[in-house]
Amino acid sequence: MSDLTRLTAAEIAGLVAAGETSATEVTQAHLDRIAAVDDRVHAFLHVDTEGALDAARAVDARRAAGEPLGPLAGVPVAVKDVLATKGVPTTVGSKILEGWRPPYDATIVQRLRAAGTVMLGKTNMDEFAMGSSTEYSAYGPTRNPWDLERIPGGSGGGSAAALAAYEAPLAIGSDTGGSIRQPGAVTGTVGAKPTYGGTSRYGLVAFSSSLDTPGPCARTVLDAALLHEVMGGHDPRDSTSIPAPVPDVVAAARLGATGDLTGVRLGIVTEFSGEGAEPGVLAAFRESVDALTKMGAEIVEISCPHFSYALPAYYLIAPSEASSNLARFDGVRFGLRVGDDGERSLEEVMSLTREAGFGPEVKRRIMLGTYALSSGYYDAYYGQAQKVRTLITRDFTSAFEQVDALISPTTPFTAFPLGSRTADPYQMYLADLFTIPTNLYGGPGISVPCGLSDGLPVGLQVMAPTLADDRMYRVAAALESALGTFTPPAL
Ligand code: GLN
């Protein structure tokens, strides 16, 4: 077998099932690739070599015994370090959880194991998933395989870079404001944020619980759909999990791949298709719209007037929830503890631990959130932001009375140079200008590669109504069938 790391997940699963390669060979090829390139890319915070090889051997044994294999059996997957993995370090990109080995698996990790996928390790991320570049990881940034001096997006830059660098064919991300879709866009990979509640949050380290949505990352739309199907579905251990079957995303991806969009109505979000995005991004987007039209889609312009308020509303709601969620990191229950010398009070130890354990962006969010929730300001900030959230939901509802799905560029700009947006937090926040409305509404969104601008990948975002995740896969797969996939320069 030439290079197993260049195959799609669907191809790997087919070869393993047919006995043309083994899960062990596939896993070893990816571990070798990680060893060859990850000192330059730094997609991984932890590589679980032994765990991966054990899991691969178990799949091979099951196959040898004639037991049925799942659709992704033997396929390696990289998991964002935001999901709890039993006995395997889980840091959320933060010093405050350094050394923590969870005593349990997140539901999604359990499902991945049950499906016979092989977890390679944990991927780098902005601390607590707060950021758009992985530069806020306490363990150093990940680099974009398209250009090692540029960011791979964030917060799930490690997962996206692992795919683009052929270190893994599949990865898991989590999307609170764009952390799956934006890294997908800037690395030329596919990232899908499922309907909120369509994928379990049990064992996901919480950032903003009303927004956090785990989802699939891959190099092709079909692979993302296959992973979505395995990881998604109702989980009684997550109180906001939706008791409904996973939409048939795999069938939709296959249908889309036929390249026929006859009868599909798509709305271009007026507010996101004019100024606000780089010219090269808009040019790639416009060309993709032409491709969608050629495949039979009907395209209309739809105004979503409140989308412009999504970013400020998000930066009140998400930090508010974070300030509450992160209170549990007190130096007593998990990870780091600082100053516990028997002399200091509990409060002093907590405060020293949080001072040492949290990075500057996390502290900024905690302060923003605490302020927005404080009694004198609650109505003016948090309450107001919740009203904006309702108005954005209404924009989506009325748009979906007219069209099947909405489209826009995924991000306003392509991968920027490392260090170029860290001085001004607002410049970093702008990376999610186009992805945040979907999170506030709770619907699904996907980013699919749609071209290059100055040699860097551009993503197109498809947004669909809640629980209509299949629609976005159909459109994304159609676009992929027209444009092909995009391969970075060799590392
Ligand atoms: N970049 C956004 C933020 O910093 C989104 C993060 C995410 O989706 N986890 O909050």
Side-chain angles (χ1 to χ4, degrees), residues 147-172:
D147 176 346
L148 295 174
E149 297 311 315
R150 290 176 187 270
I151 60 100
S155 62
S159 283
L163 298 169
Y166 296 93
E167 295 171 275
L170 295 176
I172 300 290

Side-chain angles (χ1 to χ4, degrees), residues 40 214 304 466:
R40 281 171 287 157
C304 297
T466 48

Side-chain angles (χ1 to χ4, degrees), residues 80 129-132 154-155 174-179 207 314-315 365 432:
K80 187 177 179 182
M130 298 168 183
S132 299
S155 62
S174 65
D175 193 310
T176 303
S179 284
F207 163 12
Y314 171 88
Y315 278 97
R365 304 282 179 111
D432 292 310

